[in-house]
Amino acid sequence: MLRNPWFETVAEAQRRARRRLPYAVYGALLAGSERGSTVADNVAAFGELGFAPRVVGHHPKRDLSTTVLGMPTAMPVLISPTGVQAAHPDGEVAVARAAATRGVIMGLSSFASQPVEAVVAANPATAFQIYWSGGRDTIVQRMERARSAGCTALIVTLDWSFSHGRDWGSPTIPERVDLRTMLRMAPDVLPHPGWLWRFARAGRLPDLTTPNMRQPGGGVPTFFGAYREWQESTPPTWADIAWLARQWGGPVLLKGVSRVDDARRAVDAGVTALSVSNHGGNNLDTTPATIRLLPSIAEAVGDQVEVLLDGGIRRGGDVAKALALGARAVLIGRAYLWGLAANGQAGVENVLDILRGGLDSAVLGLGHASTDELGPDDLAVPDGFTRTLGGTR
């Protein structure tokens, strides 16, 4: 056990996750397509933006709360849906509990290792994420299961994944984990006894199945089984997205927008929110960082739908910068997974506390009383920083 399980930065959470996790698991968390240019730019771009702080008129109390997808949240940070969380035996349930204790919204992947019913029980403020996978009847069945479980919002992910190669090599991820697989992977696993001990104490092996992708009358597919279903499905049209939004009938977040024309088409399709996203660098490599694309998209459709951003968030200051450039909120992925690996539910809470503290410091230093007051004047934006794809603003 660590002498001090608490950490003060997301970077330290990442360092602890790297020490604790076998490479196959840690490498999957780092995953980015091809040479990782987009992964790197997602993070580095935030460092190019400067703050313009004020020195007088600070507010003694700041309000960081908002609403997203019709749900209140204590701060504009949402848990982004990520699949098969083998970093910890409690996986998405631990993350959902952490999010609930900190008053933030949980995004649950349809590729999750925990069933939607268990996650909603841990955090009623859960948005269910779905891929366009299988036929319309299958998609409706999965949506209705999420609705019956208590989800009130839907996340439709369309930015994953047209590019699979990684220049540094992909980690070996097995179809399923059984005794034979554990023996084969022992050289990678045994140097990380803490990770192994957590699963041994829980009385189970890492679960690579996807219970939320079950088809009626069928078994629970493995991650790769669900992935194959997605690969074999005909990609959706804008008419399909409009149909899906009508079928759900509640808040729908379309995740994966990088172009202004796509943002406008998403509005026309009837979604209530969109996320400027490149799937954390797991789509086409060399796609610009999402924070570079945000201003043009927010300007084009921000008065019609909620605009969110994901990709590269590592500090509370990054959250403030995204809000200043037009985002209503951000989604985090790798940051909370590193926290989960480092210290389970408490590690995820730790990451959320770090982001909240950094965001509060930024709002204070910029002379505001709430996150709603953040705007472009709070930043030093270098010439040529932004990118506009797919038409004019």
Side-chain angles (χ1 to χ4, degrees), residues 33 82 93 103 141 268 270-271 326-327 343 355 367:
S33 59
T82 61
V93 170
Q141 289 161 357
D268 293 341
V271 305
N343 197 25
L355 296 180

Side-chain angles (χ1 to χ4, degrees), residues 18-303:
R18 184 173 185 175
R19 290 197 300 268
R20 180 175 291 273
L21 296 176
Y23 174 74
V25 181
Y26 180 72
L29 300 188
L30 285 181
S33 59
E34 297 182 348
R35 62 183 177 185
S37 297
T38 296
V39 176
D41 195 34
N42 275 349
V43 176
F46 281 101
E48 296 178 28
L49 295 170
F51 282 124
R54 293 175 172 83
V55 293
V56 176
H58 295 149
H59 297 268
K61 295 182 179 180
R62 279 80 54 201
D63 182 9
L64 306 185
S65 64
T66 188
T67 59
V68 182
L69 298 172
M71 293 180 279
T73 177
M75 63 174 172
V77 176
L78 284 68
I79 297 295
S80 187
T82 61
V84 189
Q85 295 178 6
H88 190 277
D90 293 335
E92 295 85 0
V93 170
V95 177
R97 289 172 179 156
T101 63
R102 296 306 187 257
V104 303
I105 298 166
M106 172 73 183
L108 176 68
S109 173
S110 55
F111 278 37
S113 59
Q114 300 284 346
V116 60
E117 294 82 4
V119 173
V120 174
N123 187 345
T126 294
F128 184 71
Q129 177 265 356
I130 198 166
Y131 291 99
W132 190 267
S133 180
R136 284 191 175 192
D137 289 346
T138 300
I139 291 170
V140 167
Q141 289 161 357
R142 289 170 182 157
M143 286 195 296
E144 290 307 314
R145 178 181 174 184
R147 194 194 311 274
S148 296
C151 296
T152 59
L154 192 71
I155 301 172
V156 183
T157 297
L158 297 181
D159 59 345
W160 178 68
S161 167
F162 307 114
S163 182
H164 308 284
R166 296 174 191 146
D167 287 6
W168 58 84
S170 297
T172 301
I173 302 174
E175 179 83 17
R176 56 179 53 84
V177 177
D178 52 22
L179 182 58
R180 178 178 295 180
T181 302
M182 293 295 285
L183 290 173
R184 178 168 55 83
M185 299 184 69
D188 182 26
V189 172
L190 291 178
H192 306 276
W195 177 81
L196 190 61
W197 169 244
R198 282 177 173 172
F199 282 94
R201 189 170 55 184
R204 57 182 180 271
L205 296 173
D207 190 357
L208 300 183
T209 60
T210 56
N212 299 313
M213 293 290 286
R214 181 198 298 268
Q215 292 194 4
V220 177
T222 64
F223 172 85
F224 286 108
Y227 185 78
R228 282 191 290 271
E229 180 193 275
W230 170 80
Q231 281 187 311
E232 294 167 1
S233 300
T234 301
T237 65
W238 283 112
D240 289 324
I241 301 304
W243 167 84
L244 190 151
R246 291 193 301 270
Q247 288 292 319
W248 179 253
V252 174
L253 166 65
L254 180 64
K255 185 175 181 292
V257 175
S258 61
R259 297 169 56 103
V260 171
D261 51 359
D262 275 353
R264 292 192 172 113
R265 293 295 296 273
V267 172
D268 293 341
V271 305
T272 51
L274 59 85
S275 181
V276 182
S277 172
N278 49 46
H279 211 87
N282 273 284
N283 202 327
L284 296 178
D285 198 24
T286 70
T287 300
T290 52
I291 192 66
R292 301 187 192 277
L293 304 173
L294 173 65
S296 60
I297 293 172
E299 184 176 330
V301 301
D303 59 343

Side-chain angles (χ1 to χ4, degrees), residues 310-324:
D310 66 83
I313 300 292
R314 301 291 184 268
R315 300 171 178 82
D318 297 340
V319 181
K321 291 171 181 178
L323 301 183

